[in-house]
Amino acid sequence: MSSSPTLTDAPVFSDGCFHCGLPVPEGAHYPIQFEGQTKEACCRGCQAVAQTIIDSGQGAYYLHRTALPATPQQAEAELAQLGLYDLPEIQESFVRTETENIREAALILENIVCAACIWLNERHISALPGVLSVEINYATRRARVRWDNSRIQLSAILKAVSDIGYIAHPFDPGRSDDIHRRERNTAIKRLAIAGLGMMQVMMYALPTYTATDMTDDIRLLMSWASLILTIPVVVYSAWPFFLGAWRDLRRRMLGMDVPVALGVGTAFVASVYSTFSGHGEVYYDSVTMFVFLLLTGRFLEMNARRRAGAAVEELVKLIPAATTRLPHWPSRDEEQVPVARLTVGDHVLVRPGETLPADGVVVEGDSAVSEAMLTGESLPVSKSRDAKVVGGSLNQASPLVVRVDRLGADTRLASIVRLLDRAQSEKPRIGQLADRAAAWFVGVLLVITVLVGLAWYAIDPSKVLWIVVSILVVTCPCALGLATPAALTTATGRLTRLGLLTTRGHALETLARATDLVFDKTGTLTHGRLSVRRVVPLGGHSDAEVRALAAALEAGSEHPIARALRDGSDTSIRASDVRNTPGRGVEGSIDGRSYRLGSPHFAARSETPPQAPASGSGEHPEGHESWVALAADNELIAWFALADTPRADAPAALAALQRQGLRVHLVSGDAEAAVRATALQLGIDEWHAGALPEDKLAYVKTLQQQGRIVAMVGDGINDAPVLAGAQVSIAMGEGADVAQAAADMVMLGSRLATLSEGVALARKTQQIIRQNLGWALGYNLIAIPAAALGHVTPWIAGIGMSASSLLVVLNALRLSDFKQPISGQGSGAGIQDSGNERPLAAANFENLTPDP
C-alpha cells in the first residue's frame, strides 16, 4: 500500500538555504514553515519564493527534487517554469504597477557580450504579443520591460529570453555584483587557459618557422603537440564565440560572433586536417593567439563598460541593506531589520553617518542631511520636524526619527534610476543609424569574404585560408554598435552627478545643437519664494505690531504672500471672522477692530487709494517689489514690500551660456515692470512679459520657424505646454510635477551653473560619438581591404578587432571626469536652511514615468 511523501521522505541537503542551497549568512533569520517544521533561507527573496511555493500548494517541489539547483540561474529557471514570478506577492519587490494591467519590471540579463546581444534581445522581446516596450542598458545590462498583463505573463517573457540563450531575472543590486564577479572570474579563467595555450603553442611553432633542417617526423610531432594544446583553447576559451554564433544563426540573424566563430573554426579544422593528413599548413599558433587577444579585448571592455555605468550603480546602492526600526513608536524600543521588511507608516531611527532607508517625513530631531548623490549639491540641507527626506541621502549631524512614506519602486531614488535607465537606453538619431549599419554589416562582410576567397583561390590557393580567416576576424561591427551607447551612458551618468537628470535619449544630442535658451522667471531664474523686503508703518504703529497683525490675518493661508508675511512675525495674535476674497485680499477682526490686508484698492475700500511708497533702488530696483496694504477700519496703517530675489548664481550662469553662443530669452507671465527689472539685472536683452501658457508656446514656435533650435527651462504648471513644445526642455527639480513629466531633463538641484555644464558636456558627448563612429568606420574601411590584399595575418587581425572595440569604450570614458569650470559662480558656505518650507530639490520624481 503506497502513501504520499512526507517530510521524512524529502531529500536531505546541507545546512544551506532551504530553497537555493547557498550558505545562510551569519545572523540572518528568514524562517520558512514547511510540513510543521521551520527551515532557514539565506535572504528575504528565497524566503518569499519558498513560502509562496508551499502556500500555493506546490510544496511537493521540495519533496520530489533530487538535488539543489547547481547555480542560482538554474533556480531562477525552475521558478519561471512554475510561473511563480506571475504571483503578485513575488512581484512586489521588482514590478511597478502603472494601471490594473500595465506593469513594468526591472530585470538583469546575463550572457550579454556585445551590442549585438542588446539588439537581439530588444527585437526578440518587443516582438512578443503584449509587450509594450523594452529598453536595455548595455553598460549595466539592466532591462526595463513594460507589458500588458492581460495579454502576456512575466514568466512567458523570461522564458522567451531563455529561448534565445540568455538569462533574465529580477534586478537586485547585490545579485548584479555577484553576476559581475562571476562573469569576471569566468572570463579570467578562459583568458588564462587561452594565454597558457598560446605561449606553449608558440614554443612549438617557433622552431618550425626558424629551423632549416627539421625533419618531417619532428614537424609532425610539433603539430600533434600543438593540436593537443589548442583543443582546450578552442573548446573552453573560445566556447562563448561558438555559442553566440549558434544562437544568432538559430534566430536567423548575423551577430559579431558569427565571423569570429567562422574564422576560429575554419582555421582550427583546416589545421586538424593537415595534422591528420600529414601535409599542408597548420595555424594552431594563430588560432590560440587571436582567441587570447579577443578575450583580452572583451575582458578590458567589460571592465570599462562597468565603469561607464557606475553612476547608475552608485544610485542603486544608496539604499542601505538594514535599518533601525522603532516598532512601538513613540516608545524607544529598537530592532535591526532588513530594509525590505519595512512597510509604509513604520518609524525608523537614522543616526549620524547612516543613510536614510526610504522616503519619509521627520517626526523628531533636527539635523543636516547630505543629498549630494541625488542633487549634485555638496552643501548639506537642514531638516527638522515635518521636513520631507529622501531615501539614499546621508544624515550628518544628529539622530532623526523618520516616518516611512514610500518604499522600493515608489521612492524618488527609484524614479531617478528609472528615468536614467530610459535615457541611457534610448538612442539618438545618430545612434539608430549606427545600429542599422551594424545590423547589415556582418552580411556584407560574409559576401566580401566569399568573393575574396574565390579570387585568391584563383591567384594563390595556398593563401586562401589565412586571408579568409584574417578578413573574418579583423572586422568589427561591435565598434559601430558601441560608439553611441558607451558615450551616452557615461555622459548621462556624469550629468546626474552634476545635478542634471537626463530623462530622454534625444536630450543630449538636441541640447548640443541648441541655439536659443528660453527661461521662465519665477522659480527658474528667481527663487520663487516671496519675502518681505520693507515694512512702512503709518499712523504711529510699530514695525513689529503691523507684522503681527498681518500674520494673524494670514494664519490659515498657504498662499506665497501669506507665508512671506508670516515668516519672522509674532504669531501669537489670533484673528476671527476671517474671510478671503480671491485675487484681492483677506479681512477679519482682531480685538474688536476690522482689518483688511491685500491690494491698496481692497484694503482702503477705495477706487483711488493712496500711492504706494517709491520702490527702492540698489538690491531691489524698481519693478522688483510688489506692495501689499494693511488697513484698520478702512484707514491704511502699513505697507509691505515683497520681492522674489533672483538666484545668486543666475548672472554668472547666464553669462556662461551666452559665452557658449546661446541666445538667452526671458518669457514670463509676470507684470512688465517685474520682468523688465529682472532682465536688466541679469543681462537679458530679449524678454516678453504677461505671457499666458499659449503665448509662451507661440513664442517658442516663432523661434523654431526661424530655424532656431530651442531649449526651454521652466518650473510651473503653466510651463508644461511650452516644455513639451520645445526641441529640448529642462524642468527645475523644485517645480511642479506636470512640468517635470513634460521635460526631457530635470535639474536635481538649484544651481543654474549646471545648465552651462550640461551644454558643454552635451557638445563634448557629440564630439566623442562622432570620433567613435569615425574610428569604427575608418578602421573597417582600412582593415578589410588590407586583409583582402594579404597584408594582415590572423593574429594581427585579432589585435585589431579587440583594439577597435576597446578604443571606443575608453574614448567614451573620458566623459566620466568631464569638468566645465564656471567663473564668477555664486557660492556659499554652511548649511542650506530648507527647513519645512523649501520643496525638496530632488522633487516628486515618482510621477515621472516613461511614456508608453
Side-chain angles (χ1 to χ4, degrees):
M1 181 175 178
S2 62
S3 60
S4 300
T6 64
L7 179 62
T8 56
D9 301 317
V12 178
F13 301 109
S14 63
D15 295 331
C17 173
F18 177 69
H19 175 67
C20 72
L22 293 177
V24 177
E26 184 178 352
H29 181 60
Y30 301 102
I32 301 169
Q33 298 303 320
F34 179 65
E35 295 280 328
Q37 295 191 16
T38 300
K39 301 293 183 179
E40 290 295 332
C42 63
C43 64
R44 186 172 182 271
C46 283
Q47 179 194 37
V49 171
Q51 202 63 58
T52 302
I53 293 175
I54 297 166
D55 294 345
S56 62
Q58 302 185 72
Y61 164 77
Y62 294 107
L63 294 171
H64 294 299
R65 66 179 183 179
T66 58
L68 290 168
T71 64
Q73 294 94 327
Q74 292 179 3
E76 302 291 344
E78 292 181 14
L79 293 177
Q81 291 171 3
L82 290 172
L84 292 177
Y85 281 130
D86 298 330
L87 299 177
E89 52 267 47
I90 298 297
Q91 294 187 358
E92 280 182 359
S93 62
F94 67 96
V95 173
R96 187 172 62 91
T97 302
E98 296 182 13
T99 63
E100 182 180 356
N101 289 317
I102 305 303
R103 301 182 183 181
E104 179 184 88
L107 307 174
I108 189 164
L109 298 180
E110 295 189 50
N111 299 338
I112 298 293
V113 296
C114 70
C117 299
I118 301 294
W119 175 79
L120 172 61
N121 276 276
E122 286 182 340
R123 286 196 59 179
H124 181 65
I125 298 173
S126 61
L128 298 174
V131 172
L132 305 178
S133 66
V134 56
E135 298 160 352
I136 303 175
N137 187 323
Y138 176 68
T140 62
R141 303 183 184 184
R142 190 158 57 248
R144 292 203 174 271
V145 182
R146 292 178 69 250
W147 73 95
D148 184 341
N149 206 55
S150 64
R151 298 175 59 196
I152 189 171
Q153 300 292 305
L154 179 59
S155 57
I157 298 175
L158 299 180
K159 185 177 185 304
V161 174
S162 66
D163 287 344
I164 58 174
Y166 299 88
I167 299 172
H169 47 73
F171 173 76
D172 176 78
R175 180 173 290 175
S176 176
D177 288 340
D178 290 341
I179 291 172
H180 174 69
R181 282 193 294 269
R182 188 165 61 249
E183 291 182 345
R184 188 174 185 275
N185 291 338
T186 301
I188 290 174
K189 291 176 185 177
R190 295 189 192 278
L191 191 59
I193 296 296
L196 289 173
M198 178 193 68
M199 289 188 291
Q200 295 300 317
V201 171
M202 289 300 295
M203 289 176 58
Y204 290 117
L206 186 61
T208 63
Y209 293 144
T210 58
T212 58
D213 56 349
M214 182 178 293
T215 64
D216 291 341
D217 291 341
I218 297 298
R219 193 178 298 274
L220 185 60
L221 180 62
M222 295 288 190
S223 297
W224 277 101
S226 297
L227 170 60
I228 294 172
L229 292 168
T230 303
I231 289 175
V233 176
V234 173
V235 173
Y236 178 70
S237 296
W239 179 247
F241 301 118
F242 293 109
L243 185 63
W246 172 245
R247 182 173 56 223
D248 292 340
L249 293 175
R250 281 180 56 199
R251 302 298 306 172
R252 297 180 181 179
M253 297 177 180
L254 295 174
M256 71 154 287
D257 285 330
V258 173
V260 173
L262 282 175
V264 173
T266 301
F268 180 70
V269 169
S271 300
V272 171
Y273 175 80
S274 297
T275 301
F276 277 91
S277 64
H279 58 81
E281 296 292 332
V282 294
Y283 302 95
Y284 297 122
D285 54 334
S286 295
V287 170
T288 54
M289 183 175 291
F290 63 67
V291 168
F292 173 75
L293 292 171
L294 290 173
L295 290 175
T296 300
R298 282 198 175 179
F299 179 74
L300 295 174
E301 180 192 323
M302 177 178 66
N303 291 331
R305 185 179 62 240
R306 178 80 173 178
R307 182 183 165 196
V312 180
E313 298 300 321
E314 287 171 3
L315 288 175
V316 171
K317 294 176 184 176
L318 285 180
I319 298 297
T323 190
T324 303
R325 183 167 64 183
L326 305 177
H328 307 297
W329 175 259
S331 170
R332 308 299 296 196
D333 297 339
E334 299 180 10
E335 63 177 359
Q336 288 290 317
V337 297
V339 171
R341 291 178 58 185
L342 291 177
T343 59
V344 173
D346 281 350
H347 290 79
V348 295
L349 174 64
V350 185
R351 295 183 172 88
E354 294 181 347
T355 302
L356 278 85
D359 293 0
V361 175
V362 176
V363 296
E364 181 181 282
D366 194 343
S367 185
V369 174
S370 172
E371 299 170 352
M373 285 297 294
L374 298 172
T375 67
E377 296 184 0
S378 58
L379 296 180
V381 182
S382 66
K383 298 292 180 182
S384 56
R385 184 180 175 86
D386 295 331
K388 292 183 178 180
V389 290
V390 177
S393 51
L394 179 67
N395 185 21
Q396 293 189 334
S398 305
L400 291 174
V401 177
V402 177
R403 184 185 69 246
V404 174
D405 283 350
R406 298 181 186 276
L407 288 164
D410 295 328
T411 62
R412 294 173 182 173
L413 178 61
S415 298
I416 291 174
V417 171
R418 272 198 303 273
L419 293 173
L420 195 54
D421 272 342
R422 181 182 71 178
Q424 292 179 346
S425 301
E426 291 179 352
K427 297 181 179 67
R429 289 174 300 173
I430 192 171
Q432 295 170 358
L433 181 62
D435 283 352
R436 286 195 293 270
W440 53 257
F441 184 93
V442 174
V444 174
L445 167 66
L446 295 179
V447 172
I448 292 174
T449 303
V450 171
L451 295 176
V452 171
L454 293 174
W456 274 102
Y457 185 80
I459 298 170
D460 187 351
S462 65
K463 296 182 178 180
V464 171
L465 182 61
W466 69 264
I467 288 178
V468 166
V469 170
S470 296
I471 296 175
L472 290 172
V473 173
V474 77
T475 50
C476 189
C478 240
L480 276 175
L482 284 172
T484 300
L488 285 180
T489 298
T490 309
T492 50
R494 177 58 182 160
L495 271 181
T496 302
R497 289 193 292 269
L498 290 173
L500 186 60
L501 176 65
T502 306
T503 67
R504 288 178 174 85
H506 75 88
L508 273 175
E509 180 186 23
T510 311
L511 183 62
R513 298 186 295 114
T515 59
D516 293 69
L517 199 57
V518 178
F519 285 91
D520 175 47
K521 183 178 80 71
T522 305
T524 303
L525 293 177
T526 65
H527 288 287
R529 297 190 301 274
L530 291 172
S531 60
V532 176
R533 297 304 180 186
R534 285 198 295 156
V535 179
V536 182
L538 304 173
H541 294 277
S542 68
D543 183 294
E545 180 186 359
V546 296
R547 278 179 173 268
L549 291 170
L553 292 170
E554 295 285 16
S557 174
E558 289 302 316
H559 192 279
I561 292 178
R563 290 199 297 265
L565 291 170
R566 288 197 304 266
D567 284 348
S569 301
D570 180 5
T571 57
S572 61
I573 299 177
R574 294 290 181 266
S576 60
D577 300 326
V578 177
R579 298 178 301 280
N580 178 54
T581 303
R584 295 177 64 84
V586 63
E587 58 185 306
S589 298
I590 302 174
D591 295 333
R593 296 189 69 182
S594 175
Y595 291 89
R596 293 166 70 89
L597 176 71
S599 68
H601 296 276
F602 176 80
R605 291 182 184 268
S606 171
E607 293 301 322
T608 57
Q611 290 294 316
S615 296
S617 56
E619 183 183 359
H620 304 289
E622 181 179 357
H624 269 288
E625 295 176 342
S626 300
W627 289 95
V628 173
L630 174 64
D633 298 327
N634 301 328
E635 180 184 349
L636 290 182
I637 62 172
W639 291 93
F640 299 91
L642 294 93
D644 182 10
T645 308
R647 298 180 186 271
D649 65 341
L654 294 180
L657 290 166
Q658 289 167 336
R659 287 195 299 270
Q660 290 173 320
L662 289 165
R663 288 171 53 189
V664 177
H665 307 253
L666 175 59
V667 181
S668 173
D670 292 352
E672 181 176 343
V675 176
R676 182 197 306 114
T678 301
L680 289 174
Q681 186 175 0
L682 299 180
I684 300 176
D685 296 328
E686 301 178 60
W687 55 271
H688 185 64
L692 298 173
E694 54 268 30
D695 298 328
K696 294 181 179 181
L697 182 58
Y699 187 87
V700 167
K701 294 295 184 185
T702 300
L703 291 175
Q704 292 172 337
Q705 289 169 3
Q706 298 171 4
R708 315 294 293 180
I709 298 175
V710 181
M712 176 69 198
V713 186
D715 77 314
I717 293 176
N718 62 335
D719 293 325
V722 69
L723 287 171
Q727 279 105 330
V728 61
S729 51
I730 304 167
M732 303 297 291
E734 300 172 350
D737 297 341
V738 66
Q740 296 169 3
D744 303 314
M745 309 177 90
V746 179
M747 290 183 63
L748 300 178
S750 58
R751 291 176 61 251
L752 288 175
T754 304
L755 289 173
S756 58
E757 294 171 345
V759 171
L761 182 57
R763 292 175 177 176
K764 185 67 174 178
T765 302
Q766 294 308 302
Q767 180 183 345
I768 293 291
I769 290 176
R770 286 193 294 269
Q771 289 174 355
N772 284 349
L773 290 174
W775 160 255
L777 290 171
Y779 164 80
N780 283 292
L781 289 175
I782 295 173
I784 294 176
L789 293 173
H791 300 313
V792 179
T793 60
W795 68 271
I796 292 178
I799 294 177
M801 181 183 184
S802 303
S804 181
S805 294
L806 185 60
L807 184 62
V808 163
V809 177
L810 292 178
N811 191 39
L813 283 177
R814 294 164 53 203
L815 295 168
S816 62
D817 299 320
F818 179 83
K819 294 180 181 179
Q820 174 72 11
I822 304 295
S823 59
Q825 178 180 323
S827 61
I831 296 176
Q832 301 174 11
D833 187 8
S834 68
N836 307 327
E837 297 292 329
R838 176 177 179 268
L840 188 65
N844 300 316
F845 291 107
E846 66 270 12
N847 296 322
L848 297 184
T849 55
D851 297 330

